[in-house]
Amino acid sequence: MDDATLRELDRKHVWHPYAPASPKALIHPVAAAEGVRLRLADGRELIDGMSSWWAVIHGHDHPRLTAAAHEQLDVMAHVMFGGLTHEPAVRLARRLAEMTGLQKVFLADSGSVAVEVAVKMAIQCTGRSRLLTVRGGYHGDTFGAMAVCDPVNGMHHLFAGALPEHVFADRPPGGYGLRPGATAEPEPADPAYLTHLDTLVARHAHELAAIIVEPVVQGAGGMRFYHPAYLRRLRELADRHGLLLIADEIATGFGRTGEMFGCDHAGVRPDIMCLGKALTGGYLTLAATLCTPEVAERVGVLMHGPTFMGNPLAAAVAGASLTLLEERPWREEVKGIESGLAEGLAAVAGAPGVREVRVLGAIGVVETERPVDVARVQDTVMEHGVWLRPFGHLIYTMPPYVTAPDDLAMITGAMAAAVATLDG
Ligand SMILES: *Cc1c(COP(=O)(O)O)cnc(C)c1O
C-alpha cells in the first residue's frame, strides 16, 4: 500500500490514542523499525527517542528477541491458561520472582490490567476497598487504574463521576535526579511532606486497603522525580497501619531509572508489584502483577482471568528480553545515557520558555512554562531526524538503552531545536 493510501484509510477507519476518530494531527505510517530507528513509509528515518512508549529497551527487531518469537511460534502461539500451563510462562514467573523477591506472579495482558489485578488483590486481601495514592500519578486507562491517576491532569477528568473515590496525598516534591544547568544541590527530603503523609495515612488507615504509587518517577502524570525517602516513609506507614504497598513499576522497571526497579532507589520491597512496558523488550503486550506469599494466602481465589493471560509467545520473548538484560551492561549503558542527556540538555536549561530540565537514568525531561504546541515541536524534532511525543508542558525522551552517543546527541539536539521554537 502506498503512503498516501495508507494515510487516507487510516484517517477513515482507525482510531488512535487520545485522539478524535479523524484526527487533524498528522499520523505517520511506519514501514519498518530496526535498532533505534523507525523507517517511515515515505523513506524518512527517525531515531525512536520514545522507545515506542518506553518499552523497546534493546532496540527494535533485536535478533535474539526475533529468534525467540520465531522459535516459540513454531511450537505454539497460544493456549488458554485456565487448567493448563507451559514452559515459557513457568520460566518467566520463576525469573521475575527471583528478580523481585515476590514469589507469586499473575501474568496479565497489559499494564492497566496488571494495576486492576493489584487493586483486586489488595481488596480481596484486606476486605477494604479504598486506596491511598499521591497526586501527579498515572496508572493506566481502565476504570480501576484511572481512579488512582491524578484527578486533575490525569487525562481522565471526564470520567470523574464514574470512578471510585480514593484518598490523594499532595504531589511529592520534585528535586531528585540531575538538574543540568542548575547550580543548586540536589534537594533533601522535605520534612513537611513526610508529616503530610503521616497525617493523611493515619487519618484514613481504617478504611484503606493499600497505598499505590509509582516508585521515584511519576511517568505519564508529569515526568517528575521524587526523593526515595518519601517511598521509604510510605513503606513504614503501610507497615505501621497494616496496609499493603503496591509499587507500579510498569514505567520504572527493568533499569530505566538506573536501578533495576524504582524501589531499589529506596531499598524498599513492596507487597505487590506491577510490571509491563519493557517486559517483552517492547515486542508483545504482556504485564505481570507479583505479590508475596502472605498476600496470596490472604487473597485466596483471585477473581481475574483474561483470555490471553500467560500468552506463550509473549512469555517466551519476555524471557529472552530478561536474558538479554542480564547479559548486557545495562547499568553502564543507562549511566552513559544519563550523562549524555545531562550534557546535551544543559544548554537548554534557562532558555526562554523552559521551567526545568531534569534527568534520571535514561529519562531526559524539559518542562516548559506553557503547554507545548505538540504539532510544532513534533515537526521540529522530525526535521532533526528524531521521533518524540511531547505532551502537556513536557518535551522528553526515554531512548532505548542501546542508543549510541551520536544518536543520543541527535535526540538532545532535536530537543534543543524544539525549545528554540517555544514562545518565551
Ligand atoms: C503505561 C503505564 C501503565 C499502563 O500500562 P498499559 O500497558 O498502557 O495499560 C500503568 N502504570 C504506569 C506507571 C505506566 O507507565
Side-chain angles (χ1 to χ4, degrees), residues 54 110-113 115 138-141 214 219-220 248-251 277:
W54 325 347
S110 75
S112 300
V113 172
V115 171
Y138 178 82
H139 297 280
D141 284 351
E214 296 157 279
D248 179 351
E249 295 262 12
I250 291 167
K277 288 203 163 87

Side-chain angles (χ1 to χ4, degrees), residues 89-142:
V90 172
R91 282 184 180 279
L92 177 62
R94 179 179 63 179
R95 192 130 187 202
L96 291 174
E98 281 166 6
M99 289 174 81
T100 60
L102 298 168
Q103 293 301 312
K104 299 289 176 185
V105 183
F106 187 99
L107 294 171
D109 34 11
S110 75
S112 300
V113 172
V115 171
E116 299 288 329
V117 171
V119 172
K120 281 192 181 180
M121 282 178 179
I123 293 175
Q124 284 193 241
C125 185
T126 61
R128 297 184 292 266
S129 60
R130 280 192 105 183
L131 303 166
L132 183 140
T133 186
V134 294
R135 289 179 185 271
Y138 178 82
H139 297 280
D141 284 351
T142 53

